[in-house]
Amino acid sequence: MRILGISALYHDSAAALIEDGRIVAAAQEERFTRKKHDARFPENAVRYCLAEAGCALGDIDYVVFYDKPFLKFERLLETYMSFAPKGFTSFKTAIPVWLKEKLFQKDMLRRDFQKFDPDFDWMNKFLFAEHHLSHAASAFFPSPFEDAAVLTMDGVGEWTTTSLAFGSGNRLEIHKELHFPHSLGLLYSAFTYYTGFKVNSGEYKVMGLAPYGEPKYTQLILDKVIDVKDDGSFWLDQSYFDYCTGLTMTNDKFAGLFGQKVRQADKDPLTQFHMDIAASVQAVTEHVVLKLARAIRKDTGAKNLCLAGGVALNCVANGKVLREGIFDNIWIQPAAGDAGGALGAALAGYHIHKGQPRTVTGGGKDAMKGSYLGPVFEQADIEARLTAAGAKFTVLSDDQLIEQTAQALADEKAVGWMQGRMEFGPRALGGRSILGDPRSPTMQKVLNLKVKYRESFRPFAPSVLREDVADWFELDGDSPYMLLVAPVAEKHRRAMTQEEQALFGIDKLNVPRSSLPAITHVDYSARIQTVHADTNPRYHALISAFKGKTGCPVVVNTSFNVRGEPIVCSPEDAFRCFMGSEIEVLTVGNCFLRKEDQDPALKLDYKNAFELD
């Protein structure tokens, strides 16, 4: 049985295909169209999934959409009615779009799918899953657990913003929900907006900025903005927000509470105030998530916890839950946001709608295949595509490729690494990555300013051999999807001088914190990816070779893209990014490229090519 899952028409459109419960393919539309967070019908992602499965749309048993548009429209109408006459401007903007298009999403989707098969049986083979059920299914069904509690947290689906489900075998049922407008995701997005970053895109910047600040406003937020109960449920005072009826996230009362207006990213610099605000909302988020986790363990007795929804991408909060030891085991869906809803919708259709059995992968392994679920390019195809793009390259053996790339890293070069299948989800995991030497005191700043063209404060993640993780970090477990933050091990830290301890904000950035300064954040933390030989043998071999040369089993890993660009998908994408940035070495399959060998006429200006994210 083949089931195709779709998420679309809000943000991060994606498609995923499963066959007899096995995940065959999954990809986000943005990777093909090169439009970040592309929300349009995922035509290219669908085409890829069908090709990967070797089938046509007519061979698909069911197509499942990841949410229910009518319930979302009901929420929209009820919200406007509750706040009327306030919000008329927003109402008259939104309603025509719904009446013309979104209420008729099934017809829209049917027309889009007609490009693949005009005779597909839509009346009997098209299903809709609720948004948070799709999230929960994406978290539980691929997990390595026979049974688990499932916590989903995001901005909002139809009505639900937070849900608790319980999964056992092939069964999954939602037991509790919190509803709009009370949302942890929207609270975080409100502070994202207030600090001058883009909503639904810049939340991870707030998380990265938080360690530079002090959580001075935490109690103020808890006293005035959010009421958190002992079980983790919460209530937001809507008098501080504008997202129910307006066109912005916050209002003047919100700005008045904290004493400063909304930061304009193109005009106002980041100050210590913004860092303190970021630290405060991060502290509140962790407070809520920990309370939810403790209450779930107490109420259900569950030993295992699965997480999904956009808030589950908050790897700092995830790391706190892990270190608290509330659950024996935690598993987080790597595509935790809306893109992952496509996979969850397909799995919900298979296990819940059709009642098909579920097989748990043995040995504590999940069913995500390392999240390497996107396109792969054969060597001959890579060579043809690079040649057509004007690239100059050398074809190496496997051993030569590993040796020369490891040497380039040891020489502190920035390396573009495109190998194997593309990752599904927002993190680069060694399939489409930019790599560097974590021992270099300048690597973090060089990668941010000269390669990624982004804010200098942004931290980078370490990829570490799984067998060595406990020797370098305060973590002795798997973190294959870069969704857990843990401290650098004490023995690798560097003590700060009194003068350095007195520094504030961004001034802390240039102070080395450990023997791995490029991946150690200002609070001695790191967002860790453990690399496993069974899921990514080539990446594991590269880091092993780097360890052989340097004694260090860690490399810097950041996504292969520049600011505002989706992660690269094809060899052409990789070559363009290579030529538009100061990446010095590029490997695509067994092709090895040096910047100095390339035609200078092919150099691109990527610094201003993409809109700020």
Side-chain angles (χ1 to χ4, degrees):
M1 180 182 291
R2 295 189 184 99
I3 298 183
L4 180 67
I6 300 292
S7 64
L9 309 178
Y10 181 49
H11 60 88
D12 291 321
S13 293
L17 193 149
I18 66 171
E19 185 173 285
D20 296 330
R22 179 178 58 88
I23 304 169
V24 174
Q28 291 137 272
E29 185 69 4
E30 66 167 20
R31 306 295 171 83
F32 303 96
T33 63
R34 313 310 301 154
K35 176 180 171 61
K36 195 160 189 179
H37 302 302
D38 198 337
R40 294 170 294 181
F41 173 75
E43 178 179 345
N44 296 283
V46 169
R47 201 176 302 281
Y48 155 68
C49 286
L50 293 174
E52 187 66 31
C55 69
L57 187 62
D59 301 314
I60 299 295
D61 295 281
Y62 292 95
V63 174
V64 189
F65 193 69
Y66 82 127
D67 71 4
K68 294 189 174 182
F70 276 105
L71 287 179
K72 192 172 285 188
F73 185 62
E74 175 189 81
R75 187 247 302 168
L76 190 76
L77 286 180
E78 288 195 24
T79 300
Y80 282 128
M81 289 172 65
S82 297
F83 285 86
K86 184 182 177 184
F88 180 72
T89 301
S90 176
F91 177 82
K92 72 179 184 180
T93 301
I95 291 302
V97 177
W98 275 91
L99 293 178
K100 288 179 182 178
E101 298 177 3
K102 293 188 177 182
L103 271 180
F104 308 100
Q105 277 186 14
K106 187 170 184 177
D107 286 338
M108 290 173 59
L109 292 165
R110 177 179 54 79
R111 289 195 298 271
D112 285 323
F113 272 112
Q114 279 184 328
K115 301 171 186 176
F116 297 92
D117 184 354
D119 298 321
F120 191 77
D121 182 8
W122 293 106
M123 291 300 293
N124 297 306
K125 293 188 174 183
F126 200 28
L127 307 172
F128 291 82
E130 287 194 23
H131 187 98
H132 270 254
L133 183 63
S134 294
H135 275 320
S138 78
F140 174 64
F141 289 128
S143 78
F145 311 136
E146 284 285 354
D147 51 70
V150 186
L151 176 61
T152 67
M153 303 167 287
D154 65 2
V156 60
E158 296 89 0
W159 278 103
T160 306
T161 64
T162 304
S163 75
L164 167 63
F166 196 83
S168 180
N170 69 340
R171 299 185 306 279
L172 178 66
E173 294 182 357
I174 292 179
H175 289 271
K176 294 181 180 180
E177 296 178 338
L178 290 176
H179 286 179
F180 181 87
H182 308 293
S183 165
L184 191 58
L186 290 176
L187 176 71
Y188 210 91
S189 291
F191 281 88
T192 300
Y193 167 80
Y194 183 61
T195 50
F197 301 119
K198 188 178 288 187
V199 172
N200 291 329
S201 176
E203 283 77 8
Y204 59 95
K205 297 184 185 182
V206 176
M207 184 175 66
L209 192 63
Y212 294 98
E214 299 292 331
K216 296 178 179 179
Y217 303 98
T218 299
Q219 196 58 48
L220 182 63
I221 297 169
L222 292 171
D223 288 343
K224 298 290 187 180
V225 179
I226 182 171
D227 179 21
V228 185
K229 303 302 183 184
D230 288 341
D231 65 354
S233 62
F234 52 87
W235 175 89
L236 299 183
D237 185 342
Q238 290 302 304
S239 67
Y240 291 99
F241 302 97
D242 205 26
Y243 57 74
C244 282
T245 57
L247 300 175
T248 60
M249 292 298 297
T250 63
N251 56 26
D252 290 342
K253 184 178 179 181
F254 186 100
L257 180 66
F258 299 105
Q260 289 199 25
K261 63 182 178 63
V262 174
R263 174 178 168 262
Q264 303 297 313
D266 56 344
K267 298 177 183 177
D268 304 327
L270 278 170
T271 67
Q272 188 64 45
F273 169 76
H274 300 109
M275 299 169 203
D276 294 341
I277 284 287
S280 301
V281 71
Q282 178 63 33
V284 169
T285 300
E286 294 165 14
H287 174 70
V288 174
V289 172
L290 284 168
K291 279 202 165 190
L292 283 166
R294 291 190 190 103
I296 290 168
R297 179 63 191 255
K298 180 180 177 182
D299 293 346
T300 68
K303 295 181 179 180
N304 303 315
L305 177 69
C306 299
L307 295 170
V311 177
L313 293 172
N314 193 307
C315 49
V316 180
N318 296 342
K320 293 281 180 71
V321 174
L322 179 70
R323 287 193 297 282
E324 287 278 325
I326 300 168
F327 293 89
D328 295 3
N329 304 289
I330 297 174
W331 190 83
I332 307 156
Q333 166 55 239
D338 275 9
L343 176 60
L347 291 165
Y350 185 75
H351 293 296
I352 300 173
H353 179 69
K354 294 305 295 179
Q356 294 297 307
R358 170 175 174 253
T359 302
V360 178
T361 307
K365 298 294 183 182
D366 62 55
M368 288 295 294
K369 301 178 181 177
S371 211
Y372 306 111
L373 299 169
V376 64
F377 296 84
E378 298 300 326
Q379 182 63 27
D381 190 24
I382 291 169
E383 293 176 26
R385 287 167 177 260
L386 289 177
T387 299
K392 301 292 190 295
F393 56 87
T394 304
V395 178
L396 304 177
S397 68
D398 291 351
D399 290 344
Q400 290 171 328
L401 180 82
I402 296 299
E403 164 63 26
Q404 293 195 28
T405 307
Q407 188 59 54
L409 290 170
D411 292 339
E412 298 190 15
K413 296 184 185 298
V415 174
W417 176 259
M418 178 182 159
Q419 302 292 334
R421 295 184 72 173
M422 183 178 69
E423 303 91 337
F424 182 52
R427 309 289 189 227
L429 303 170
R432 305 288 187 276
S433 293
I434 297 171
L435 308 178
D437 185 346
R439 304 168 305 153
S440 167
T442 60
M443 184 60 65
Q444 192 251 9
K445 182 174 282 189
V446 167
L447 286 178
N448 266 329
L449 299 181
K450 294 188 175 183
V451 174
K452 301 283 283 189
Y453 301 127
R454 67 184 196 181
E455 300 91 344
S456 63
F457 69 82
R458 300 269 290 277
F460 286 106
S463 289
V464 56
L465 298 177
R466 170 62 183 90
E467 53 269 32
D468 289 317
V469 64
D471 190 49
W472 290 80
F473 303 96
E474 292 182 6
L475 174 72
D476 189 10
D478 295 348
S479 180
Y481 304 124
M482 209 182 286
L483 288 170
L484 293 171
V485 162
V488 172
E490 189 75 41
K491 65 181 179 180
H492 295 293
R493 297 184 194 178
R494 173 190 172 273
M496 296 175 67
T497 66
Q498 284 188 327
E499 292 79 7
E500 290 168 343
Q501 289 175 344
L503 295 172
F504 287 95
I506 298 298
D507 292 334
K508 298 175 181 178
L509 182 65
N510 297 323
V511 178
R513 297 302 175 100
S514 77
S515 59
L516 303 176
I519 57 86
T520 305
H521 211 3
V522 294
D523 57 355
Y524 292 104
S525 68
R527 188 182 69 194
I528 298 164
Q529 180 202 2
T530 53
V531 179
H532 304 247
D534 57 339
T535 53
N536 197 332
R538 179 166 282 198
Y539 193 36
H540 190 276
L542 174 65
I543 301 174
S544 297
F546 181 75
K547 178 185 178 182
K549 291 179 179 295
T550 65
C552 177
V554 184
V555 298
V556 177
N557 176 13
T558 187
S559 55
F560 197 160
N561 62 321
V562 301
R563 173 194 71 185
E565 180 197 23
I567 294 174
V568 302
C569 176
S570 69
E572 295 93 332
D573 298 335
F575 183 66
R576 280 193 298 269
C577 191
F578 173 59
M579 295 303 295
S581 67
E582 295 189 38
I583 297 172
E584 295 156 284
V585 169
L586 171 64
T587 71
V588 186
N590 285 65
C591 296
F592 190 87
L593 295 77
R594 295 180 177 85
K595 180 63 68 63
E596 60 267 25
D597 297 336
Q598 307 308 313
D599 182 353
L602 297 177
K603 185 172 176 58
L604 300 170
D605 177 18
Y606 256 39
K607 188 171 186 178
N608 302 303
F610 298 94
E611 183 183 354
L612 273 170
D613 58 359

